[in-house]
Amino acid sequence: GTFKQRYFVNATQWTESTESPVVFLCVGGEGPPMDRTVLTSSVHCNDMVELAPKHGAMMFALEHRYYGPSNPFDDYSTEHMQWLSTEQALGDIAAFHQYATKKFRLPANARWVTWGGSYPGMLAALARLRFPHLVYASVSSSSPLQPSVDMPGYNNVVAASMATENVGGSQACLDTIVQGHKDIGDLLQTSEGRTELESTFNICKAGALESEKNREQFAGDGVVYLPVQSNDPACTTPYCDIASICTLMTNTTAGTPMQRLAQLANIQHMGKCTEPDYDGMIRFWSSAKNPDRTWLYQTCTEWGFYQTCETGTQCPYTQGLHKVEVDLDICSKAFGFSPTQVTYQIQHALAIYGGSNIQSSRIMFPNGQIDPWQANGVLESPNADEPVLMVEGASHHFWTHPSLPTDSAPVQAARETIWKQVSDWLAL
């Protein structure tokens, strides 16, 4: 069968008369559907968009199969998602290269550079690995190329980032979050404690925390949301970044550590009661009508990345509730994959792509210092032709967002470093 795959094109900078024409491809991935701003001003690939004029580059963006309107089916059943994989998506990139070359009459000597952040960054790198005859170079931003079932590193970095002073964090802030969650863990042990928590944290249904699985939903990933991955120091909404959250967490007049967490939770839930509901969560992920199942499916079949909070790690939440068994249970109930299958499939992804030891050339790997995904990223050059870059104080591929006057000096410098590297490669 066939399906329609969306792509976007911006030819406003295109100068094919040069001796070595350049094509920039923004690789699509998970997340909200792309729209035409992807090639003018969006968070996906603006590092690419802003470099295009210098090289007179033709710009394309390719939507990933099963995301947005590029869905071969009208639902997200497990049976229908069997053709959703990294390998198929890479095949789509090769097919698009062929299609676009013909449709836009691109010269045979055009040099294609792939760009992306997060999973699209992984695909950008893997397209260069898989198709060196089609893709000349790649910028793979914040790409966690190391598959793993259990990913304790994610929350270890969350903890370190909440204590990072150059983004407004502090050790005192982290200590408060850790202590508050530890006290919650102690209260969860007794029936009286659970009743107290239900009142303090405005839980909708009395007795909800009597269920062990609901306790995991309540505190396993924190009773508050810490916007570390998306940290934007220029954001303006209440408690939208590390600095503003740490201002509240270190305010000793706001009560005990747990009371401060409760205050923040109440603000984040806009005063509404909260409903920890494990069975409801399983129902949500099991519905074939739910488009959010796509990325979850790829974690169960290829990448893992389960952000656990095990006892004895640096995780700042209530430790020992979110064990890897929780995620394996979701894979089993939502898709019917056994833990053995999930583990095998993730080991297979490591075997075929090489993880953080990806061996290719002309791939650049920038990562953000406070980004939890860097835990599974490429942080050391696998070889001399695959440079890495660590961006101080930066969250998840923040440098791929449109340049703004509020951007930090390290983020601005990162863009310049990326542009120089790509330009150097194109000058070879």
Side-chain angles (χ1 to χ4, degrees), residues 263-274:
Q263 195 180 326
L264 178 57
N266 186 49
I267 293 164
Q268 291 182 334
H269 292 123
M270 298 193 268
K272 296 193 185 83
C273 69
T274 57

Side-chain angles (χ1 to χ4, degrees), residues 2-20:
T2 60
F3 73 101
K4 285 187 170 168
Q5 187 165 20
R6 284 201 310 171
Y7 68 92
F8 300 88
V9 56
N10 179 347
T12 55
Q13 308 299 330
W14 175 232
T15 47
E16 63 181 303
S17 53
T18 56
E19 275 179 38
S20 53

Side-chain angles (χ1 to χ4, degrees), residues 39-216:
L39 296 179
T40 53
S41 177
S42 86
V43 298
H44 297 285
C45 292
N46 241 59
D47 49 344
M48 172 190 101
V49 171
E50 293 171 33
L51 182 64
K54 176 177 176 176
H55 295 286
M58 172 71 93
M59 286 186 278
F60 293 115
L62 181 65
E63 191 167 67
H64 194 297
R65 58 168 62 201
Y66 290 86
Y67 293 95
S70 298
N71 187 3
F73 301 97
D74 56 6
D75 71 0
Y76 302 91
S77 70
T78 307
E79 186 192 355
H80 283 162
M81 285 196 292
Q82 63 181 296
W83 296 281
L84 168 58
S85 69
T86 301
E87 203 64 0
Q88 293 282 356
L90 290 170
D92 291 340
I93 292 172
F96 178 74
H97 187 292
Q98 203 173 22
Y99 168 86
T101 298
K102 190 175 170 188
K103 181 174 171 74
F104 295 93
R105 298 190 180 88
L106 302 176
N109 66 334
R111 290 191 285 183
W112 287 57
V113 182
T114 50
W115 303 70
S118 198
Y119 171 55
M122 294 157 61
L123 288 171
L126 295 172
R128 167 69 185 148
L129 172 75
R130 269 279 187 268
F131 314 124
H133 56 295
L134 301 178
V135 176
Y136 176 77
S138 170
V139 179
S140 174
S141 291
S142 296
S143 50
L145 275 158
Q146 182 70 24
S148 61
V149 181
D150 193 350
M151 188 184 178
Y154 187 96
N155 283 322
N156 289 346
V157 177
V158 167
S161 298
M162 292 309 295
T164 299
E165 291 179 5
N166 62 18
V167 290
S170 66
Q171 188 60 46
C173 175
L174 173 62
D175 290 346
T176 303
I177 295 164
V178 169
Q179 188 59 50
H181 279 97
K182 203 171 168 308
D183 295 343
I184 288 166
D186 292 342
L187 286 171
L188 283 172
Q189 301 303 314
T190 68
S191 186
E192 301 77 37
R194 295 192 283 272
T195 305
E196 182 188 329
L197 287 170
E198 286 171 5
S199 159
T200 306
F201 285 89
N202 191 12
I203 284 171
C204 305
K205 224 185 271 174
L209 296 181
E210 292 309 302
S211 146
E212 195 180 331
K213 289 185 166 177
N214 288 352
R215 299 202 277 275
E216 187 280 322

Side-chain angles (χ1 to χ4, degrees), residues 204-397:
C204 305
K205 224 185 271 174
L209 296 181
E210 292 309 302
S211 146
E212 195 180 331
K213 289 185 166 177
N214 288 352
R215 299 202 277 275
E216 187 280 322
Q217 289 292 287
F218 168 62
D221 299 304
V223 295
V224 294
Y225 168 65
L226 302 179
V228 174
Q229 179 179 324
S230 59
N231 189 60
D232 178 359
C235 71
T236 51
T237 52
Y239 303 109
C240 57
D241 66 346
I242 291 171
S244 55
I245 284 177
C246 282
T247 303
L248 171 57
M249 286 299 123
T250 52
N251 178 3
T252 48
T253 63
T256 64
M258 189 176 87
Q259 285 166 333
R260 288 175 234 171
L261 288 174
Q263 195 180 326
L264 178 57
N266 186 49
I267 293 164
Q268 291 182 334
H269 292 123
M270 298 193 268
K272 296 193 185 83
C273 69
T274 57
E275 198 161 1
D277 180 5
Y278 189 90
D279 294 337
M281 177 271 296
I282 293 289
R283 281 194 301 276
F284 172 82
W285 289 121
S286 302
S287 164
K289 293 276 177 262
N290 181 0
D292 295 338
R293 272 163 61 88
T294 43
W295 177 246
L296 180 69
Y297 177 87
Q298 288 195 260
T299 69
C300 296
T301 53
E302 300 184 287
W303 295 103
F305 300 145
Y306 299 124
Q307 298 155 19
T308 52
C309 187
E310 308 270 10
T311 306
T313 61
Q314 299 302 305
C315 176
Y317 308 130
T318 305
Q319 296 188 351
L321 293 172
H322 185 170
K323 301 189 182 83
V324 76
E325 285 75 16
V326 171
D327 303 280
L328 293 171
D329 187 45
I330 297 171
C331 289
S332 169
K333 294 209 166 85
F335 305 114
F337 300 126
S338 71
T340 310
Q341 278 174 297
V342 173
T343 305
Y344 171 79
Q345 286 163 170
I346 292 164
Q347 285 169 343
H348 182 66
L350 176 60
I352 59 177
Y353 300 124
S356 56
N357 186 37
I358 177 174
Q359 290 297 330
S360 180
S361 63
R362 292 196 293 268
I363 307 178
M364 186 177 193
F365 296 103
N367 274 283
Q369 177 204 0
I370 65 162
D371 176 18
W373 287 103
Q374 57 116 316
N376 285 38
V378 182
L379 305 185
E380 290 175 28
S381 293
N383 65 54
D385 295 315
E386 293 179 330
V388 297
L389 174 67
M390 183 57 79
V391 187
E392 185 195 330
S395 55
H396 201 43
H397 63 91

